Amino acid sequence: MPRDCKVSDWSQWSPCSKTCRTSDQSPGFRIRSRSLKRAAIGGGEPCPALEEKANCNVLEDTLPLCPRYEWRATNWKACQVTPLLSQQDLRHSNTSNLCGGGIRTREAYCVRTHDSTVSFHISRPVGRNLCTGPLPPLAESCFIPCQKHCPLTPWSPWGPCLHDNCLEPQGRRGFRMRTRSVITESSVESDSCPHVSEAMICDDPVCFMWRVTSHGPCVPHNGSCGLGFQEQTLECLSAAGEPVPSDQCSGDPPPVRLPCEMPCPGDCVLGHWGPWTSCSQSCSSKHHEGKQSRSRLVLALPGEYGKLCPPASELEQLRFCGMQPCTVYYWDASPWDPCMPNTITNESESNSTTPQMENDATCGMGVQMRQVTCRRAGNGHVLPKRCPESSRPDSIRSCSLPCKIDCIVTPFSEWSACPTSCLSVNATAPTQSRHRIIIQRSANEGQECPDTLYEERECDPLPLCPTYRWQTHRWHQCILVPDSVRQAVGGPAEACGIGLETREVTCVGADDSPADMTDCVRWAGPMPVPVRECRVPCRDECSFTSWSRFTQCQGCGSLRTRTRSLIGRSKKRWRCQQEESFSLLEKEACPCSEFHTQPQGPWSPCLLSPAKNTAGHPFIQGVSHQGQNAVQDWRAQRKNSECGHGKHYRALACLDHLGRLVEPALCSSPGYEEESCHVPCSTDCKLSEWSNWSACSASCGGGVKVRSQWLREKPFNGGRPCPKLNYKNQVSEVLPCYSDCSQYVWEVESWSMCVLNPPNNLTNAGPTQPVCGEGFRTGTIRCLKRGGDNQDEIANDSLCDQEEKPIGVEPCLLPCPAHCVTSEWSQWTKCTVDCNDGDLRWRSRSVLRWPEGDHTCPDLNQTQACVNMTCLKYSYVYSDWSSCQLSENAVCGRGVKTRLLNCVRSDGKLVELSMCKELGPSRGKLSAPCEVGCPVNCLITEWSTWSECSHTCGSQSQMTRSRVVLQPTGEGGRPCPSQLSQTRPCPIRPCYSWRLGDWRPCMVEVVLMQCS
């Protein structure tokens, strides 16, 4: 028989897909649907459409603007070096001194925006799950300026006694000064530099003095010998040895003409007095006084009737020097105070400052002050007059005033939603919260941030949920289909067959009082079935007794039985006796409450509890957040999230006695088992402390010095890797170093008198036989260290250049009484730097005693061509650049690399830098900026919350949490963890599905045809 398709009524229209105005001009749509109740059979009417779609909200201008959500970021927080430290670097107990390269962070929060054309304003934060775009960068490199490192030169030798101001000399008290300088090309002053000048008080200061530059020959008044006069040339020199105008030298100059005596033939001849030796002490104390000496030599012995030589004691002179006390004074300057408004000159400017958004903005000029006091070395403050006023540091300077920066916070977020339903019994009172985020922290005495960033309050009191339940009553008698219906379809006339039985289902309250049915529908769950199918047996059907009770169960897995018997006529009917159709015995499995669990699948990874984050701010592992306490705890937070004690989980299936999967609750199990576990903490590569610097490899000019670190412990479990090591497992640092070439010098202290060779016995010499002729003389040669506290100190000979060691023995001529006697040769004049072919150098000597008879004097002047004699060219040469040097409080960032300037002679020998001064100053830089890459540790977000279970049933269900890398590892930082996502098992629940049996045999329906 054909049957038409049958469908349900239309459902309600769905909400419109477009509820707000966007740039898309297309209208929204809504949908309604109906379901199929019966498909068309045997050519019946086919099914109509089951879904209908219609436009809605066509007039877009009447709609409100659609909200948009986007990430906003706070201002960058202060730069921190602490996150870059290795575990070994934690020896820095005072992290406030750290400087150089660092890392700074900020927070991201989600806000609702209505129109991109609206100018930026501070919006209240909303739930982070509303923002779907990528997070903005939350970490970046930064730099904290370091105080300038102050490498210092050694102290210079003590200078002469000078007036404090040589242009305006006052009184008879002066100062002897010594200085040192900062070895850097930068002129930036640093608060960390110590004093660079020291002074000692002295008497009778002289800024300019006369010096005798040359002596003329002694001109006798009568004849060729005897008393006469000698002329000398003078020049006025400054304390630095530079010629100055004669009027600068105070007092009368020394006489130009001096009395002298020219020895006659046969007289003893003495040489000129040598220079005074250096003072043995730069100053005097109770137990030590400075001394210096000078001497002269006997150049010719007297003849038989000549004037005798003075005794040996008169050939040496001794005098005291360095008489001033050894008390050193210096100016001591405190660090500069903070920049303050200049109330005199800058009042109007400073009052007009306004809060700024940027930390590096300046608002006018101010002044900085510092204390400058005169100190005695090792003994506290003294009166300022003890220190030279000319070297007093500044105590006030101008500076740029930083602007006041007020704290900026977002408005509070909306209060979180309160539950709208009623409260169940024993439930805790619900709360709602709101928070705000600091966008910019205050600075420079700006308005402070509020203390409260998170607020919580109880929700309005909610009513307790009412208690209702369904109450069921006894089933009524089985009611058959009415007779009229049965007769119409040709059914049997007797009252038997399939019918319905009903029972009453009522709704009652907690006190069993009647209640409205809608209350139970709302609060008591599904309504129990009020109607069910039943059967009234017919006369010709088999009649049975009621089923007996089931037999006693013998344990889980056994069967129980029940029986019934035929009664009445049914006992004799063959059809009723067929066991296949009418069973008299029923068996069923005994109900069993024995259930057991069985592990399923592998253990999850060891899961650590995530850090608590009350206010819902995005948190970056390893970087501090609000408050100073967090700065100290950043490493503990990172460790807690990456290592320590945790738990791992494994799924448990709940099985019945037949091994079938059942609900976990039947096993009183949460659906998984857990065990304690431990994730070992990572350890960074550890190196030894730096060794001491080696000595400079060169005693003159530029060399290198080296220091090293050794590997102590390799990194473990994702710790920071080691720097590049050499084959000895070392890392070395090499720096150029410079040894002053004039620090160690040879000095010929004095020459002995000329000794005849072979030696003659002076005592046997006859009265008419003077001692004279060729011989040799020896010199006392010492290696001296220049510039010590005790002026020149005798040093080990190995410290002086052996190639430059003077000859200690040389030939000499002891003139006979009738021979000419001359002075020592003067120094050779200097050749020009270029050493032209025609350049000559010369030296001279003077006659001290004229000869008699036919004897003549030797040449008094000598010349030499400069070429191939002393023609050595000099040139500048640079050393290689050093490694990049950081401040001792820096880990990475900007530094300085240095190199040395040397003066090299054309024969390849390094010489004193002053030998190249005629070339002019060098043009190359000796220092240059450089950068050491920062060991940026991997920065990751905290773990997200656990996701929903991936399946509602079955053994493959699991939940997931993840985290995101915000900044990858850089320059040897700690690597990112290998796990960026983790899973844990969900409880295993049985899956249910409809299973269809076989079709029953086809039944013919009797349809009543009505004729007309």
Side-chain angles (χ1 to χ4, degrees), residues 354-401:
T354 56
Q356 299 285 321
M357 283 288 287
E358 295 298 331
N359 293 339
D360 55 359
T362 57
C363 294
M365 298 300 292
V367 292
Q368 277 180 296
M369 312 283 287
R370 65 175 176 180
Q371 296 291 327
V372 176
T373 52
C374 181
R375 294 180 69 96
R376 182 165 49 210
N379 202 13
H381 296 178
V382 294
L383 294 174
K385 65 180 182 181
R386 300 277 185 180
C387 292
E389 191 66 28
S390 59
S391 61
R392 180 174 188 146
D394 293 333
S395 59
I396 185 171
R397 69 179 181 185
S398 61
C399 56
S400 298
L401 278 171

Side-chain angles (χ1 to χ4, degrees), residues 470-479 500-506 517 526-532:
W470 295 105
Q471 189 174 46
T472 58
H473 301 269
R474 291 180 59 187
W475 289 102
H476 294 297
Q477 188 176 357
C478 190
I479 302 175
L500 296 175
E501 60 182 353
T502 62
R503 66 175 176 182
E504 291 184 19
V505 179
T506 57
M517 297 290 282
M527 180 179 177
V529 176
V531 180
R532 69 180 181 183

